[in-house]
Amino acid sequence: MKRILITGGAGFIGSHLCKQLLKEGNEVLCVDNYFTGSKENILELLDNPYFELIRRDVTEPFYAEVDEIYNLACPASPVHYQYNPIKTIKTSVMGAINMLGLAKRVKAKILQASTSEVYGDPAVHPQPESYWGNVNPIGTRSCYDEGKRCAETLFMDYHTQNGVAIKIARIFNTYGPHMNINDGRVVSNFIVQALQGEPLTIFGDGSQTRSFQYVDDLISGLTCLMSTNAEVTGPVNLGNPQECTMLQLAETIIDLTGSSSQVVFHPLPLDDPQQRRPDISIARELLQDWEPQIDLKQGLSHTIAYFEKQLSSK
């Protein structure tokens, strides 16, 4: 049994990771300040004697004896991370410093949940880990993009200077149960709008693309990456290379929900990427033949069922 710390453990991805690591027979310490996370996501875990929940902000130093750390704490949707951009970049940078300091002290292995946003609006497609990105350092998204880029730098410097065992995962668009109804990301927005019979809001002309992975596939990738030997530091792309346009996504969700909703178009936000698709060659090679298993329609069906239940309960 390992003792594993998960920052942001009550969030969308963190809650799924807590559940999986407990299922594998570990002791899990969940830390969250509930800015975007929720106790509802982890209610079923509270009676587990090997699960511990602590309300805390990662910008403050934290001390615990642990074997592994997954650093997931940070708002991930533009609506939330742009609400307080200074707090967002503090969470990424100071949170990384505090968790790396803890890992150094207790000799724990630590994984950074980075993001495909480090590639910005990419000029290379699909995006391999060797691509340095095309990021506006002073734009509306830079608090998140540059915060995550700085966190990657900190992780690599702690590794090279202090020998900390690190893993860096670059997570591409992920969806599934436990997303917040007011999450602000495209999948949750479209599903909620469709279920409520409202117009589906597309920013731009709908031709911009994303690649969506179901949360179970991501959790499998994260745990596989953490289990690799010390020479594997990353960054490693974790995403589904199946690409679709925003208009295709909207039409698929309308079809799966049986909604009568229409599609409406609004101006594209500043610095919004035109295309996003991961090159997962390194993940396939290093992570025990890891590859996403759940296709878009299957994953969306699970997610729609979750939101139907959430909306009916409210």
Side-chain angles (χ1 to χ4, degrees):
M1 178 182 288
K2 290 178 288 191
R3 191 159 194 249
I4 302 174
L5 167 64
I6 304 174
T7 70
F12 160 46
I13 293 172
S15 58
H16 286 276
L17 183 59
C18 287
K19 184 177 180 179
Q20 179 60 32
L21 292 174
L22 285 168
K23 185 178 178 181
E24 293 176 2
N26 300 292
E27 183 179 353
V28 172
L29 182 59
C30 169
V31 173
D32 207 296
N33 69 351
Y34 304 131
F35 177 60
T36 56
S38 169
K39 272 190 179 178
E40 288 184 12
N41 291 337
I42 50 173
L43 275 179
E44 63 181 297
L45 308 179
L46 294 179
D47 291 333
N48 190 316
Y50 298 109
F51 180 75
E52 185 176 352
L53 174 62
I54 298 175
R55 183 167 190 162
R56 196 174 186 90
D57 195 307
V58 294
T59 60
E60 302 293 332
F62 182 77
Y63 304 97
E65 296 295 326
V66 294
D67 303 299
E68 293 178 353
I69 303 168
Y70 288 82
N71 187 38
L72 274 59
C74 190
S77 75
V79 169
H80 291 132
Y81 67 64
Q82 291 173 3
Y83 173 76
N84 188 339
I86 295 173
K87 177 66 172 178
T88 295
I89 200 163
K90 280 184 175 181
T91 300
S92 288
V93 177
M94 296 172 66
I97 290 171
N98 287 330
M99 289 303 111
L100 285 163
L102 174 60
K104 177 185 173 184
R105 282 191 298 273
V106 301
K107 295 181 169 53
K109 190 189 302 185
I110 181 168
L111 182 147
Q112 167 66 6
S114 190
T115 172
S116 60
E117 295 294 332
V118 301
Y119 299 121
D121 188 4
V124 173
H125 191 74
Q127 294 82 56
E129 291 85 348
S130 58
Y131 177 52
W132 291 357
N134 178 35
V135 175
N136 179 357
I138 56 172
T140 58
R141 303 169 73 101
S142 60
C143 60
Y144 183 69
D145 300 2
E146 297 288 25
K148 290 289 190 177
R149 286 164 69 94
C150 183
E152 286 195 15
T153 302
L154 285 163
F155 266 68
M156 194 56 68
D157 288 344
Y158 265 79
H159 173 67
T160 55
Q161 183 173 326
N162 299 315
V164 176
I166 67 162
K167 310 289 178 182
I168 299 172
R170 288 180 178 166
I171 300 171
F172 281 69
N173 294 67
T174 304
Y175 68 98
H178 294 184
M179 294 184 83
N180 195 309
I181 286 178
N182 301 312
D183 184 80
R185 284 178 278 196
V186 65
V187 171
S188 53
N189 281 355
F190 282 179
I191 290 176
V192 171
Q193 288 169 341
L195 290 175
Q196 295 182 332
E198 299 172 353
L200 271 65
T201 306
I202 291 181
F203 294 96
D205 62 6
S207 64
Q208 67 271 35
T209 67
R210 295 292 186 274
S211 301
F212 298 98
Q213 72 176 332
Y214 189 65
V215 65
D216 288 0
D217 287 327
L218 172 63
I219 298 305
S220 173
L222 291 173
T223 55
C224 284
L225 178 57
M226 182 64 97
S227 67
T228 54
N229 59 43
E231 288 72 33
V232 179
T233 61
V236 175
N237 288 339
L238 295 178
N240 192 328
Q242 180 184 357
E243 188 178 10
C244 73
T245 67
M246 294 301 94
L247 186 56
Q248 288 171 335
L249 177 67
E251 291 169 346
T252 300
I253 288 173
I254 288 172
D255 180 58
L256 290 173
T257 56
S259 176
S260 59
S261 296
Q262 303 297 311
V263 173
V264 295
F265 298 90
H266 290 271
L268 194 67
L270 189 67
D271 297 329
D272 194 66
Q274 286 297 312
Q275 53 187 5
R276 188 66 61 70
R277 177 188 171 196
D279 180 334
I280 60 170
S281 302
I282 290 179
R284 285 172 172 149
E285 177 186 352
L286 298 178
L287 306 186
Q288 306 166 12
D289 298 320
W290 174 86
E291 189 165 357
Q293 301 297 313
I294 300 173
D295 67 26
L296 185 61
K297 284 190 176 181
Q298 181 184 2
L300 285 175
S301 296
H302 294 320
T303 310
I304 288 167
Y306 170 79
F307 276 109
E308 284 178 328
K309 185 176 180 181
Q310 291 295 107
L311 289 170
S312 65
S313 69
K314 293 182 183 301

